[in-house]
Amino acid sequence: MPKSVPVSKQLSSIKALARGSDLEKAIATAALVFYNSAGPDGRVSKGDAKEILLTQFQTFMRGQESKPKYREVMEDLEKDAGRRIAVEDFLLFILSLTVTSELLPEIQRARSQ
C-alpha cells in the first residue's frame, strides 16, 4: 500500500509548499496518503479507502461507531467496495468524519490554551 518514501519527505519535496500554510500542508499530506495507495488511474477502491481511514485516521474515528454520519460513511465504503474513487471523494469522507469526531471539541479547546 504506502510507498517506502515517508510522507513527510514527499511533502518537503513539493517546492510550492516550502512557504505553505499549515492548512495547505495538511491537505497536501492527506492527498499524498491517498495517492500513495492509488493505482495508475489515480484512484483507490472504496475498500482501500476504508482501510486507509481505519489505519491513518483512527484517532478521529474512535468513539464514532454509534453516530449516524460514521455509519453512513462506513456503509458507503463497504457498498460496492471495489468501485474506484478519486481524491475528492476521499477528502469528503475525511471531512465528514472530522466534523462528527469526539476529538473536535478537544481541538476547539486547545486553541484557547
Side-chain angles (χ1 to χ4, degrees):
M1 215 195 258
K3 295 191 189 304
S4 59
V5 177
V7 170
S8 59
K9 186 168 182 160
Q10 292 174 18
L11 188 64
S12 68
S13 73
I14 303 170
K15 290 181 175 46
L17 290 177
R19 296 179 191 246
S21 70
D22 291 339
L23 181 59
E24 290 169 324
K25 290 175 183 175
I27 296 299
T29 298
L32 280 169
V33 167
F34 175 87
Y35 286 124
N36 283 342
S37 296
D41 62 353
R43 295 173 175 261
V44 300
S45 70
K46 289 169 87 177
D48 285 344
K50 179 181 176 185
E51 187 61 31
I52 294 168
L53 291 172
L54 290 172
T55 58
Q56 296 285 323
F57 210 58
Q58 59 189 318
T59 303
F60 275 88
M61 293 171 56
R62 189 171 294 122
Q64 290 202 56
E65 294 81 6
S66 64
K67 293 182 177 179
K69 183 48 97 175
Y70 176 89
R71 288 195 311 264
E72 178 185 321
V73 168
M74 291 297 116
E75 287 170 9
D76 188 10
L77 290 170
E78 291 164 3
K79 182 176 44 172
D80 198 15
R83 187 174 143 254
R84 301 186 65 74
I85 62 169
V87 69
E88 297 89 343
D89 299 313
F90 181 72
L91 292 174
L92 288 173
F93 288 132
I94 290 175
L95 182 60
S96 295
L97 294 169
T98 299
V99 298
T100 60
S101 176
E102 301 290 328
L103 191 55
L104 197 57
E106 188 175 337
I107 292 168
Q108 289 170 328
R109 285 191 300 275
R111 75 179 174 114
S112 63
Q113 294 177 352

